């Protein structure tokens, strides 16, 4: 890069003042509370918005300059990757299933984050956070767009990527990330900032982007590596915003502490539950692995998150209590998650498989406390049965958690042989949860979570069939109708990787790429 | 003392930046991973504009870091001359 | 506690009984058999005999497991909301006191999953 550094007229600090506060004005003929109607109902007290400062002191003019540079680099690489049939350089075609899960599960959240930060920015009476939220809102739509562009290249060649937006609003496992973000954007602006800006961006996204994107690079997927790191370059600013938000709110009024602590507890857990998908991607779906989910958790949450919460202790903030539960789950999470997708591989828009022997040995080495004892017997049984033509497809719909919407696959803290069941009676009806934390979240705001659109219940209510379907017709096949409603083509987008069209095409094309036909 | 970190893409833009950080922060540990470099340091880490300029032979605006930045941790303070990451506790 | 909101915040529960076309939901889990990743959710008419659930429905859902054929139903231990419970196989779900969204589990003594791993 050859970037000219212009002679500065103003120092960074002065320029930041001029380009944020300097652009703001005091209203003269409208009341402030009419202009900012969402600024106080959550109970957060702010006395002086001018105390807010972005430590990067980034202003819009510099923002455009650097973002443009990032985009130029990104698209040059994406174009080169596509022109060179880079998809044939990935380790093996199983890898592409991680991209399918990412596009259908994560990219639509980037778009929702764009909307969420635009809304929060509009709602805040302070010029500093408004400018920072504006930048983040623009970043997030950039992420959605660059991910869609980068992954559209895979859609030309592989199945399951053809209708990601439609699927995001309907497919059972995608209700987990979707409902997580819908929960955040339907909260007030302060809770949204703590939920997404702090708990998700600061505490958890490193786990999504850093080891996973580094893993994409390791598996030869330069397209995903590029959009991933380009997005992550914005994340550093988002994380900084998230941390500043917390510090700012806490410094403004002592009454804010209990509200903020409760939001941190709630959203660390909500975000962690969504990362269940990432745990399984790292341990099971990357053919070449960089680090295990457990190792990533230890580095990015226990070590870095631990330092963060120690730093925030001066405000009275404590480590979320769910961290203790999570520590007990880290030996089990990815195995239980992958087992669930193996169960329901007929209803997923990507392929599943049993890991090969060497992969199981890697898992055993990374998870000496759990893998051989609890998970290897299960996987080996499935492999034996599949070899006999009796591949396991679970055809009965699972019970879901009312809060996180994940099937009730999690085990009791400290006992991996027992499913964790929790329930609450509320207004004459029963509600079920996967954990104490999901139960507590419900109990605090039951009016919100009784509205959960649980895919299994919606299927049984008859809401998940294509328009015009008659479920009382002779020979009606509900599963087939649900897959049609999802726009998921049976036998092509789903089922085992072994024998899939993706597998056959990849082998054929790779063969053509390495020798004359 | 807690650890702060900064993670950068591994490319020709960042090679002199990483060298500068290593020279200015003797306590820093450089960890290379596929396509990225993560630099951990106890308590505090400083990125100095002048050290980078010495290595690249041109003017450098610290905000150019954003282009290749992957992640970081710690409280940030940025001026025209330095970017510092630190924990208070 | 209540949701912090700018106005009245009251909404219908998404899963009220009347939305299931005459069925009620029943969740069933098999202890020590986590090859089935989670308990199952079923829509059953409240008039359905409990025996029909065990003899006509469960084989389709749990029959893949080699332990299933070895179950001695007379020995099975049942739990409702985690508490010990005894179903009457010849009575209906409603007569057994099962209501919409109840959760029951059964344990099959001596059967501990694939190679005793609770799978």
């Amino acid at each position: 890069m050859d970037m000219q550094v212009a002679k500065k007229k103003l120092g960074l600090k002065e320029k930041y003042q001029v380009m944020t506060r300097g652009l703001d004005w005091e209203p003269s003929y409208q009341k402030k509370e009419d202009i900012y109607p969402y600024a106080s109902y959550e109970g957060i007290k702010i006395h002086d918005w001018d105390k807010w400062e972005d430590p990067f002191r980034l202003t819009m003019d510099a923002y455009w300059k650097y973002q443009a540079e990032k985009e130029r680099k990104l698209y040059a690489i994406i174009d080169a990757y596509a022109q060179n049939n880079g998809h044939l350089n990935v380790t093996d075609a199983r890898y592409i299933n991680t991209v399918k899960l990412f596009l259908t599960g994560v990219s639509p959240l980037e778009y929702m984050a764009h909307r969420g930060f635009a809304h929060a920015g509009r709602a805040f009476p302070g010029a500093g956070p408004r400018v920072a939220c504006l930048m983040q809102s623009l970043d997030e739509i950039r992420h959605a767009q660059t991910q869609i562009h980068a992954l559209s290249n895979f859609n030309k060649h592989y199945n399951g990527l053809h209708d990601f937006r439609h699927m995001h609003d309907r497919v059972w496992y995608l209700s987990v990330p979707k409902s997580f973000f819908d929960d955040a954007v339907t909260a007030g602006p302060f809770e949204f900032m703590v939920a997404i800006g702090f708990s998700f961006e600061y505490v958890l996204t490193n786990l999504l982007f850093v080891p996973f994107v580094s893993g994409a690079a390791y598996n030869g997927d330069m397209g995903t590596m590029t959009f991933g790191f380009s997005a992550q370059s914005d994340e550093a600013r988002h994380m900084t915003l998230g941390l500043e938000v917390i510090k700012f709110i806490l410094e403004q009024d002592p009454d804010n502490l209990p509200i903020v602590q409760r939001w941190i507890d709630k959203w660390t857990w909500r975000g962690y539950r969504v990362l269940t998908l990432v745990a399984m991607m790292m341990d099971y779906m990357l053919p070449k692995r960089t680090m295990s989910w457990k190792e990533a958790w230890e580095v990015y949450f226990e070590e870095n998150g631990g330092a963060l919460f120690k730093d925030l202790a001066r405000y009275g903030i404590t480590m979320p209590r769910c961290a203790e539960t999570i520590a007990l789950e880290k030996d089990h999470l990815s195995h239980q998650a992958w087992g669930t997708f193996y169960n329901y591989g007929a209803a997923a828009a990507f392929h599943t498989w049993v890991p090969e022997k060497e992969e199981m040995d890697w898992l055993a080495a990374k998870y000496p406390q759990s893998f051989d004892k609890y998970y290897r017997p299960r996987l080996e049984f499935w492999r034996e049965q599949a070899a006999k033509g009796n591949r396991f497809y679970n055809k009965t719909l699972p019970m879901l958690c009312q809060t996180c919407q994940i099937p009730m696959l999690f085990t009791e803290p400290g006992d991996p042989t027992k499913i964790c069941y929790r329930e609450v009676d509320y207004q004459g009806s029963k509600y079920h949860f996967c954990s104490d934390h999901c139960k507590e979240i419900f109990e605090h705001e039951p009016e919100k979570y009784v509205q959960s659109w649980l895919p299994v219940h919606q299927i049984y209510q008859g809401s998940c069939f294509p328009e015009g379907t008659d479920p009382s017709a002779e020979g009606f096949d509900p599963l087939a109708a649900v897959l049609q409603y999802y726009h998921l083509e049976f036998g092509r987008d789903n089922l085992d990787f072994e024998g899939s069209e993706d597998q056959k095409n990849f082998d054929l094309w790779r063969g053509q790429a390495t020798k004359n036909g | 003392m807690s650890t702060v970190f900064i993670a950068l893409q591994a490319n020709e833009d960042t090679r002199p930046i990483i060298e500068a950080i290593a020279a200015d922060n003797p306590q820093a540990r450089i960890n290379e991973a596929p396509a990225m470099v993560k630099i951990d340091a106890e308590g505090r880490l400083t990125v100095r504009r002048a050290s980078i300029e010495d290595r690249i032979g041109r003017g450098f605006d610290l905000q150019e870091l954003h282009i290749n930045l992957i992640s970081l941790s710690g409280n940030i303070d940025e001026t025209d001359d330095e970017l510092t990451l630190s924990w208070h506790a | 506690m209540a949701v912090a909101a700018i106005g009245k915040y009251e909404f219908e529960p998404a899963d009220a009984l009347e939305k299931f076309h005459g069925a009620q939901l029943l969740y069933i889990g098999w202890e020590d058999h986590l090859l089935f990743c989670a308990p199952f959710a079923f829509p059953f008419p409240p008039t359905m005999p409990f025996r029909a659930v065990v003899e006509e429905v469960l084989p389709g859902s749990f029959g893949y497991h080699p332990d299933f054929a070895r179950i001695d139903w007379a020995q099975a231990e049942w739990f409702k909301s985690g508490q010990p419970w005894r179903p009457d196989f010849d009575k209906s779900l409603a007569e057994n006191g099962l209501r919409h969204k109840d959760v029951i589990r059964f344990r099959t003594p001596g059967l501990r999953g694939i190679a005793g791993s609770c799978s």
Side-chain angles (χ1 to χ4, degrees), chain A residues 309-326:
Chain A
F309 283 103
K310 221 163 91 186
D311 190 71
L312 291 174
R314 67 200 148 107
Y315 298 108
I317 289 288
T318 54
M319 176 66 104
R321 272 179 303 129
C322 64
E324 292 164 29
T325 310
I326 298 172

Side-chain angles (χ1 to χ4, degrees), chain B residues 11-62:
Chain B
N11 58 32
E12 279 306 299
D13 288 345
T14 58
R15 195 168 46 80
I17 299 172
I18 293 161
E19 282 175 17
I21 294 171
D24 290 337
N25 299 272
Q27 84 283 23
R29 296 183 304 278
I30 314 283
N31 302 299
E32 291 182 25
M36 61 176 271
V37 174
K38 180 168 177 274
I39 307 167
D40 296 311
E42 292 307 307
R44 169 178 284 266
L45 186 114
T46 303
V47 184
R48 290 180 57 235
R49 179 172 62 86
S51 306
I52 297 169
E53 289 180 342
D54 284 348
R55 285 169 174 80
I56 62 177
R58 67 165 174 92
F60 183 81
D61 185 328
L62 279 176

